[in-house]
Amino acid sequence: MQTDPTAKLQGKPGASPTSVARRKFLNSIAAAAGTGCLLTLGALVAGRPAAANPAQALRPPGALAEEDFLAACVRCGLCVRDCPYDTLKLAPFGGAVANGTPYFTARQVACEMCDDIPCVKACPTGALTPKLNDIHEAKMGLAVLSDHETCLNFLGLRCDVCYRVCPVIDQAITLENVHNQRSDRHAMLLPTVHSDHCTGCGKCEKACVLPEPAIKVMPIALAKGKLPAHYRKGWEEKAKHGGSLIGDQVEMPVRGMEGKAYGDSRVDGQAGGLNSGWKP
Amino acid sequence: MRPGAEAVRIKGWFGAHRWLVLRRISQLTVLALFLSGPWFGVWIAKGNLVSSLTLGVLPLTDPYLFVQSLAAGFMPAATALIGAAIVVAFYVLFGGRLYCAWVCPVNAVTDAAAWLRRRLGLKSGRVPDANTRYWVLAGSLLAAAATSSLVWEAVNPVTIVQRSLIFGLGGSLAVVFAIFAYDLLVASRGWCGHLCPMGAFYGLLGQKSLLRITADQRGACDDCMDCFTVCPEPQVIRPALKKAGQDSPLILDRDCTNCGRCIDVCGRNVFHFTHRFDQRSDS
Ligand code: SF4
Ligand code: SF4
Ligand code: SF4
Ligand code: SF4
Ligand code: SF4
């Protein structure tokens, strides 16, 4: 307990019996243990919220899954230093991202998807896994066209900026041709993201011309839905199997539709779509 | 009288501050090696004191961070392993707490607080047990194991200060101020001498190190107490100087930071740097 040197030197009167000395020793150990545990508990509490990053804070390419990353990244900033585009930042103390870890905000500076991935090369620990040697395999996040109501292409205009800046153009993002029902004579070219090719570099979000981007890169866990494990897609199974798995269907006649192919709801052979106007 | 006044009279100002000046130069040099890159584009040491790459070839990794990573269940890659091995080898050989006295930037803050405490004659406060640091050390590793992440690094003021200085992040000033205020107003030498798990870790590393301070001229001591006053870990001096529980004149305690302040401040030239096998003594 004491750091006053004179007390140490002279010794305290009456402190000689071993029982007193032992009690003092045990007391001080207990106090030390208590304080130590309190401090670490405080760290645990303070460190806890950092486990979930805000959605707009993306990890560098090759980053291990967040839980593993927080065990692996020693927060040296070597990845930050070697990023030639100043994409990466180290999280400051007291921020929402785990103190000292690297992240980037796509809307500010996106990842340029360097061919040689210098950030991954720089990482001494493997928190950015060296297994990533093709930047196109990176999964920093997933772009989501999150707002159909402001996306200019959805409004029927030709903006296409997100599509054209994408480094994985026509694979990660495509323009899907859809009939414009409003004008009934135009096409809408809808930006559509494909998760198996999107690297989450954020260039689309960065480039979106709107004051608030209609397309945003989100952490995969936030962006992706998930099918139940037992679901099978019939068309995939069919292709795998080389033909329908359930064989030919028995066709039951529908009254008034005799002589027509199954599912054909057209009246007198005219096109009608789903609501064909057919009445019995 | 202020500690060291006699030493200044006898050895001159520089003679009485030689190791202190060298230490500040060392601390500033280390920092400058990291700052020359971001400030002037001259990249010497990249990264920070936790893990760095010097001149593109020499990897160094803080073994305490490395061990935390292991505790969290992650085996860092080869570069970090080599870097940690180099650092461990160095400090095992030359004294773990050399890091505290000669490298760590927080040391300047706690030294300043201790200096001001002396100048203001502050005696009050509540000092935690010096062993607390080992509990914090153990606790930080347990916490890492329990949560599989480096939780201590969310709050570790030492790494926060280093990173902030080197990466120009905000938020460190509050941490620096907190440590300064704690050492000044609450606990004398509170942070480095009682709480810091990094200091504890480096102390454990350097237990058997070669570089040691010896009180080889202890016969000349006139009990002025100056060395005890300036030493950041005054309890380490007594066994060597007063033959308390040991005959050797060497300061063998792992908590000695090898700062050399005792050498500076002693007007009688009682202390010297030496190696652990040097048992020469005048008494
Ligand atoms: S891939 Fe290139 S631009 Fe992207 S984070 Fe890494 S270094 Fe920076
Ligand atoms: S280089 Fe690796 S360990 Fe260092 S901050 Fe970046 S991800 Fe973390
Ligand atoms: S005890 Fe901790 S804060 Fe103090 S000098 Fe050593 S490492 Fe730095
Ligand atoms: S004994 Fe001397 S060298 Fe060791 S910490 Fe104290 S003043 Fe510094
Ligand atoms: S060794 Fe003796 S003379 Fe020298 S500073 Fe310490 S107490 Fe004073």
Side-chain angles (χ1 to χ4, degrees):
Chain A
M1 285 302 287
Q2 269 295 356
T3 48
D4 177 11
T6 45
K8 283 263 172 185
L9 260 188
Q10 290 149 4
K12 286 213 181 108
S16 41
T18 41
S19 66
V20 177
R22 195 171 63 220
R23 183 141 27 97
K24 260 185 74 177
F25 174 73
L26 289 177
N27 273 342
S28 71
I29 290 286
T35 325
C37 291
L38 265 179
L39 274 175
T40 0
L41 220 71
L44 270 173
V45 173
R48 226 184 150 71
N53 289 323
Q56 67 274 24
L58 302 169
R59 291 297 186 200
L64 301 175
E66 187 68 10
E67 318 86 67
D68 297 333
F69 185 75
L70 288 177
C73 169
V74 292
R75 302 142 201 244
C76 62
L78 281 164
C79 53
V80 175
R81 288 293 192 230
D82 278 10
C83 172
Y85 300 102
D86 282 340
T87 301
L88 303 178
K89 302 270 173 284
L90 274 193
F93 175 59
V97 182
N99 174 24
T101 55
Y103 73 100
F104 71 101
T105 311
R107 187 63 167 169
Q108 283 159 16
V109 194
C111 167
E112 295 288 334
M113 287 180 58
C114 316
D115 276 336
D116 51 346
I117 335 183
C119 48
V120 168
K121 288 222 179 82
C123 180
T125 62
L128 308 181
T129 176
K131 286 190 200 124
L132 179 74
N133 41 40
D134 176 3
I135 188 66
H136 290 91
E137 304 285 310
K139 288 269 170 273
M140 295 170 263
L142 178 63
V144 177
L145 201 124
S146 55
D147 189 5
H148 297 177
E149 294 176 332
T150 51
C151 171
L152 298 180
N153 273 29
F154 266 78
L155 296 178
L157 303 173
R158 288 301 304 274
C159 167
D160 304 353
V161 169
C162 54
Y163 164 77
R164 272 179 280 122
V165 297
C166 177
V168 204
I169 186 169
D170 281 328
Q171 293 180 66
I173 189 167
T174 54
L175 293 178
E176 299 297 322
N177 197 330
V178 167
H179 174 67
N180 186 340
Q181 299 225 340
R182 187 168 45 74
S183 71
D184 212 15
R185 71 180 83 169
H186 298 97
M188 295 197 297
L189 295 164
L190 306 185
T192 308
V193 179
H194 305 274
S195 59
D196 41 350
H197 290 293
C198 173
T199 64
C201 72
K203 294 201 77 167
C204 50
E205 177 178 341
K206 168 90 176 99
C208 178
V209 297
L210 302 175
E212 180 69 35
I215 190 164
K216 293 190 170 87
V217 175
M218 298 177 186
I220 308 258
L222 200 63
K224 279 293 279 179
K226 191 177 179 190
L227 286 171
H230 65 279
Y231 270 40
R232 300 283 178 274
K233 290 170 185 155
W235 56 96
E236 282 176 2
E237 297 304 313
K238 188 173 170 183
K240 242 190 278 170
H241 186 248
S244 173
L245 286 160
I246 46 174
D248 289 333
Q249 298 280 300
V250 182
E251 286 179 18
M252 303 297 282
V254 180
R255 193 149 47 103
M257 305 284 273
E258 295 88 353
K260 288 191 171 183
Y262 181 72
D264 182 355
S265 59
R266 285 174 302 176
V267 184
D268 304 331
Q270 282 169 7
L274 282 177
N275 182 12
S276 62
W278 182 83
K279 299 234 168 39
Chain B
M1 200 166 58
R2 288 172 53 191
E6 191 195 5
V8 172
R9 206 169 56 241
I10 297 170
K11 305 194 273 191
W13 188 91
F14 184 72
H17 292 88
R18 190 158 50 126
W19 294 109
L20 180 63
V21 170
L22 285 175
R23 232 151 41 75
R24 293 290 176 256
I25 291 177
S26 158
Q27 285 161 338
L28 288 174
T29 309
V30 171
L31 211 54
L33 293 180
F34 281 102
L35 289 176
S36 68
W39 286 8
F40 308 112
V42 185
W43 290 98
I44 303 171
K46 257 188 206 170
N48 57 33
L49 288 163
V50 161
S51 197
S52 63
L53 190 65
T54 301
L55 295 174
V57 289
L58 177 68
L60 297 173
T61 300
D62 186 330
Y64 174 52
L65 262 290
F66 189 91
V67 169
Q68 281 183 70
S69 216
L70 284 184
F74 180 78
M75 177 65 205
T79 314
L81 182 67
I82 295 167
I86 296 174
V87 173
V88 166
F90 179 84
Y91 286 115
V92 163
L93 214 56
F94 294 107
R97 294 203 71 195
L98 266 185
Y99 173 83
C100 296
W102 295 79
V103 177
C104 180
V106 174
N107 168 274
V109 177
T110 57
D111 273 358
W115 175 85
L116 193 59
R117 202 172 226 274
R118 283 200 299 274
R119 288 304 297 269
L120 298 177
L122 296 178
K123 292 264 182 277
S124 59
R126 243 191 100 77
V127 190
D129 191 278
N131 284 321
T132 311
R133 52 184 141 190
Y134 298 106
W135 291 97
V136 177
L137 174 60
S140 67
L141 297 180
L142 280 178
T147 60
S148 303
S149 82
L150 310 184
V151 267
W152 181 254
E153 292 315 301
V155 292
N156 187 351
V158 185
T159 47
I160 288 172
V161 170
Q162 292 170 348
R163 239 192 321 270
S164 311
L165 286 173
I166 294 164
F167 282 84
L169 306 173
S172 73
L173 229 58
V175 179
V176 168
F177 185 76
I179 293 187
F180 184 81
Y182 178 69
D183 269 28
L184 178 69
L185 302 172
V186 183
S188 159
R189 294 287 182 180
W191 174 256
C192 292
H194 301 80
L195 298 180
C196 178
M198 295 188 83
F201 186 88
Y202 278 109
L204 291 174
L205 264 193
Q207 293 207 69
K208 300 280 174 241
S209 68
L210 286 177
L211 184 69
R212 289 286 149 183
I213 304 250
T214 175
D216 55 339
Q217 302 298 315
R218 55 191 171 191
C221 172
D222 67 355
D223 290 330
C224 74
M225 303 302 293
D226 284 0
C227 54
F228 288 93
T229 313
V230 296
C231 177
E233 303 276 353
Q235 77 282 5
V236 309
I237 295 181
R238 199 164 88 96
L241 185 62
K242 298 294 167 195
K243 294 197 211 173
Q246 73 175 48
D247 216 30
S248 159
L250 295 172
I251 292 180
L252 293 167
D253 197 297
R254 63 184 172 213
D255 289 338
C256 171
T257 67
N258 277 333
C259 67
R261 277 300 281 151
C262 51
I263 307 179
D264 277 347
V265 89
C266 177
R268 306 274 166 144
N269 282 323
V270 166
F271 299 99
H272 297 97
F273 271 116
T274 187
H275 55 83
R276 101 176 278 120
F277 304 107
D278 178 6
Q279 295 292 349
R280 280 174 303 172
S281 159
D282 68 345
S283 66

